[in-house]
Amino acid sequence: MTLPDWFLASQRAFARADPAEVGAGLHPRVRWLRRALGSLSRSWTLLLDERGLAARPGLLQAIDPRAKVLGLGAVILSVSIAPTVWAPLMACSLAGALAILSRVPPSRLAPALMAALFAGLIVLPVTLNLFAPGEPLLALWPPGAAGAHDPAVALTKEGVLLALRFILRVAACTTLALLLAATSGTARLFRGLRTLWVPRLAVMTLDLMVRYLEILLRAASELHLARISRTIGDVGSRADRRWVSAGVGALYRRTRIMAEQSYMGMIARGYTGEPTAEREGRMKPGDWLFMAAMWASALAIQLPR
Amino acid sequence: MHIPDGYLGPQTYGAAYVVMVPIWTWASRRVSRTLRLRQVPVLAMGAAFCFLVMMFNVPIPGGTTGHAVGAVLVAILLGPWAAVLAVSLVLLVQALLFGDGGITSYAANCLNMAVIMPFVGWWVFCLVGSSAPQGSRRRWLAAAAGGYVGLNAAALSASLMFGLQPLLAHDAAGRPLYAPFGLRVAVPVMMAEHLLLFGVVEAVVTGMALAFLDRTEPLLATAPAGESAPGPRGGRRLWIGLGVLILLTPLGLLLPWATGAGSAWGEWGGEELRAMLGHVPEGWARLSGLWRAPVPDYAPSGAEGGSVSAHLFWYLLSALAGSALVVGAVFAARRWLAARGEAG
């Protein structure tokens, strides 16, 4: 199923969360509600949009999810144990090539960029000789100390290498995981997890959870929208916290009612506790080829020492 | 608290998978016994609910906002074993679809947020509010305390995982291969924000959401049969566990003697400091005598230089007295809270 452009455009307008933009015309006390609404709308749009992306033509979209789970999983595992900076660099290049060949829009991979930026922020102090000794690479303080043998503050060669390896590893692993999900569609991806011995009951629960999530995310968005519509001034953070708790409670009540209705529906359709899942067919030669290529890449990543 | 890929080395994430596989197996057996045919829809809904709790921003005085994890609330409402599975499913969806948390670190995230957090929170909730009637203030306070302690226990576990990386995985020159900061940086940084900010958010959401449900939907605000607060058997197990721990305390004396380990780091006395530094720091000498403990070094004054068995006896007696004091304080606090709840 592909969502119409007019629908996605309206949801993206909702999901815009730039504080400067969303704050215009709103009381400062309501901005956090608007940001939360933006975040809920983004998650909802992403869940709905996922199926459309998985249905588009592209390299990874044509591969069986089982082959993708085993192939991309092997690359992620290989990057996570490799001690060199070349390993995550190679994996990042591979992920970039796969994203281009699968026509995955860069916005879908934005969480990987955020994870890498956050990792960079965390690891920043390690690049300075103030926190970890090393060979000076670039003198930062005192001014004009470039080329000095022992500057007070400098980027170190060892620190920069360590930070690069750390940031690239986070970026590579997150991008590969996002590619796996973005090009599979949730239902097929979860069935692909069966190759990793995930029990059938867990796969069925996951599938059901994502379907409910689509409904409940909408319900949570409506709760926020209703609150924004009814707030015209400062009500105080205590009242806001009460509203959040009541909202969480109301959602729980709704989830339990839906769970009971689903249970009755399942019983009515003859559910006896044994999950019945659509059987996946045999993997095609192309799937085996992709898996072999990914395993070869995982091994190649280990070669530079 | 979602640990992404690349922060933990294979020694840590591999061990986390080894620990989590039997926990997931046991949890699914236990939940299928208590929820039976309702297992799939209730767990799916519990997981979706937990996901949504994480998306509710809570305003905090000072203009900032934070979000709760909701694992303790789910443990109170569905039982701790159902919370293990529900939060594990949420973490899997977040890692795969939203890039929040890693694939290799998935089991480590589950250990922190799907096991340690709901169980510690659940135990605190049972300890403080197990006998409180539904709708009482003590029950809500117990839920808030459970949320606060549960989240901080999970944060402590995550910070220990981060802090151990430089020790567990480094190159030949000693440079860390994964999270680069040791325990001295990782634990205080992580715990400060959770103790002061996120723990409070978790406590507010857990306590107030339970209060809302107690008032509006009391039937939905209790865990299913078989997962409710521990009865006399659970209490007996707790006492047995405490007794075993008290009996094991002499190991704290025997092991350092057997291995020649000396005093714990930072717990040196004046003589030890003189031996190490050649002098006793002036400030230390001035401040160390400000307070004289009634039972210094877990033995009455005059017992120094006694036999090993005498030391062991006093150590065991101190463990008994200390435990009795702590248990007594908890019971007194519980009675006080119960009295306030009845008055309210």
Side-chain angles (χ1 to χ4, degrees):
Chain A
M1 181 186 77
T2 310
L3 294 170
D5 286 340
W6 61 265
F7 177 81
L8 284 175
S10 65
Q11 285 309 309
R12 281 185 192 121
F14 251 135
R16 235 181 281 134
D18 179 6
E21 220 173 314
V22 298
L26 287 176
H27 192 280
R29 302 266 341 150
V30 186
R31 279 187 198 147
W32 68 272
L33 272 168
R34 188 65 181 81
R35 272 199 295 272
L37 177 63
S39 164
L40 285 162
S41 291
R42 267 197 304 281
S43 303
W44 191 61
T45 315
L46 189 142
L47 277 181
L48 294 180
D49 207 11
E50 202 83 320
R51 287 176 218 147
L53 188 58
R56 280 187 208 167
L59 173 73
L60 284 175
Q61 287 89 334
I63 304 293
D64 190 296
R66 289 169 293 181
K68 277 189 278 190
V69 166
L70 291 176
L72 296 178
V75 179
I76 291 173
L77 199 65
S78 177
V79 178
S80 77
I81 59 174
T84 64
V85 74
W86 297 109
L89 200 61
M90 287 164 73
C92 276
S93 313
L94 177 70
L98 288 174
I100 292 167
L101 291 172
S102 310
R103 298 181 196 175
V104 176
S107 61
R108 182 64 188 89
L109 303 175
L113 183 68
M114 294 305 293
L117 284 175
F118 188 68
L121 206 65
I122 286 177
V123 84
L124 197 65
V126 177
T127 59
L128 301 174
N129 60 353
L130 289 174
F131 300 95
E135 187 187 327
L137 191 70
L138 178 68
L140 300 175
W141 188 266
H149 183 64
D150 195 15
V153 183
L155 286 176
T156 64
K157 189 181 159 191
E158 293 82 358
V160 169
L161 273 177
L162 190 149
L164 263 180
R165 185 178 56 206
F166 187 66
I167 295 166
L168 288 172
R169 193 191 284 134
V170 171
C173 292
T174 316
T175 310
L176 288 167
L178 287 171
L179 279 176
L180 173 66
T183 58
S184 304
T186 45
R188 289 192 73 206
L189 171 67
F190 295 150
R191 280 204 292 275
L193 292 177
R194 290 278 300 134
T195 52
L196 296 176
W197 301 285
V198 175
R200 191 167 282 152
L201 207 66
V203 171
M204 186 178 165
T205 313
L206 266 171
D207 207 14
L208 208 57
M209 175 206 160
V210 171
R211 285 166 202 224
Y212 291 152
L213 203 52
E214 289 170 4
I215 300 168
L216 291 170
L217 274 170
R218 192 72 187 147
S221 299
E222 284 165 2
L223 273 175
H224 280 78
L225 198 58
R227 177 72 173 176
I228 292 171
S229 313
R230 286 166 176 78
T231 308
I232 52 170
D234 188 358
V235 292
S237 60
R238 200 170 170 185
D240 283 337
R241 284 194 292 276
R242 277 197 181 151
W243 174 80
V244 168
S245 308
V248 168
L251 267 180
Y252 181 71
R253 187 168 51 188
R254 193 158 174 177
T255 58
R256 284 301 291 261
I257 293 167
M258 278 177 71
E260 200 54 35
Q261 286 172 345
S262 299
Y263 168 69
M264 299 306 279
M266 287 161 79
I267 294 289
R269 286 177 186 84
Y271 176 67
T272 56
E274 280 303 309
T276 49
E278 189 186 320
R279 284 199 179 276
E280 289 277 320
R282 283 173 175 271
M283 288 207 293
K284 297 188 291 283
D287 301 326
W288 288 103
L289 195 66
F290 173 81
M291 207 160 72
M294 288 301 111
W295 285 353
S297 306
L299 284 176
I301 279 169
Q302 294 295 323
L303 290 179
R305 290 278 163 178
Chain B
M1 210 192 302
H2 293 66
I3 304 173
D5 282 318
Y7 283 62
L8 302 181
Q11 302 94 330
T12 313
Y13 70 68
Y17 273 102
V18 170
V19 172
M20 278 311 296
V21 167
I23 293 178
W24 282 321
T25 311
W26 175 254
S28 53
R29 274 190 202 160
R30 175 87 191 228
V31 169
S32 65
R33 254 205 328 259
T34 51
L35 293 177
R36 296 172 194 271
L37 290 183
R38 279 183 170 81
Q39 182 185 359
V40 171
V42 169
L43 279 182
M45 280 296 176
F49 170 70
C50 193
F51 185 99
L52 286 170
V53 171
M54 292 190 208
M55 303 209 76
F56 267 82
N57 277 332
V58 183
I60 302 162
T64 183
T65 58
H67 74 83
V69 175
V72 178
L73 184 60
V74 174
I76 293 169
L77 296 173
L78 294 178
W81 290 105
V84 169
L85 296 180
V87 181
S88 297
L89 293 176
V90 173
L91 292 172
L92 187 62
V93 168
Q94 285 178 331
L96 285 174
L97 298 186
F98 298 93
D100 199 5
I103 305 281
T104 55
S105 53
Y106 171 63
N109 282 326
C110 287
L111 188 61
N112 296 333
M113 282 185 276
V115 178
I116 292 174
M117 184 173 172
F119 268 100
V120 170
W122 164 255
W123 284 329
V124 169
F125 173 72
C126 291
L127 191 71
V128 182
S130 61
S131 60
Q134 198 169 20
S136 68
R137 196 175 291 167
R138 179 151 69 98
R139 197 171 126 85
W140 309 334
L141 284 173
Y148 184 81
V149 179
L151 184 81
N152 279 294
L156 180 65
S157 167
S159 66
L160 289 175
M161 286 178 183
F162 285 135
L164 284 173
Q165 296 314 301
L167 292 173
L168 293 174
H170 49 78
D171 61 15
R175 286 185 292 272
L177 292 172
Y178 298 94
F181 300 108
L183 289 166
R184 279 186 212 176
V185 176
V187 175
V189 168
M190 189 103 178
M191 290 317 294
E193 61 181 19
H194 282 86
L195 283 166
L196 298 174
L197 190 71
F198 298 121
V200 179
V201 172
E202 193 73 37
V204 166
V205 170
T206 312
M208 290 177 76
L210 190 71
F212 176 85
L213 284 168
D214 267 356
R215 281 179 179 158
T216 57
E217 294 283 345
L219 285 178
L220 295 181
T222 46
E227 291 287 356
S228 48
R233 263 186 77 193
R236 203 179 308 141
R237 276 189 214 142
L238 193 69
W239 287 114
I240 292 170
L242 186 66
V244 170
L245 283 176
I246 289 173
L247 287 176
L248 288 176
T249 48
L251 284 177
L253 276 185
L254 288 173
L255 287 178
W257 273 332
T259 57
S263 295
W265 197 92
E267 292 186 14
W268 307 295
E271 289 307 311
E272 284 160 309
L273 278 175
R274 194 188 305 278
M276 283 190 293
L277 303 173
H279 69 282
V280 177
E282 197 185 318
W284 186 93
R286 195 173 62 248
L287 295 175
S288 63
L290 275 180
W291 165 253
R292 290 270 168 217
V295 191
D297 289 331
Y298 305 101
S301 48
E304 305 92 3
S307 63
V308 174
S309 52
H311 271 290
L312 290 178
F313 170 74
W314 289 118
Y315 211 60
L316 203 60
L317 205 64
S318 300
L320 264 173
S323 305
L325 271 173
V326 172
V327 170
V330 169
F331 271 105
R334 193 172 145 159
R335 286 195 71 163
W336 180 72
L337 280 170
R340 278 196 66 183
E342 278 160 20

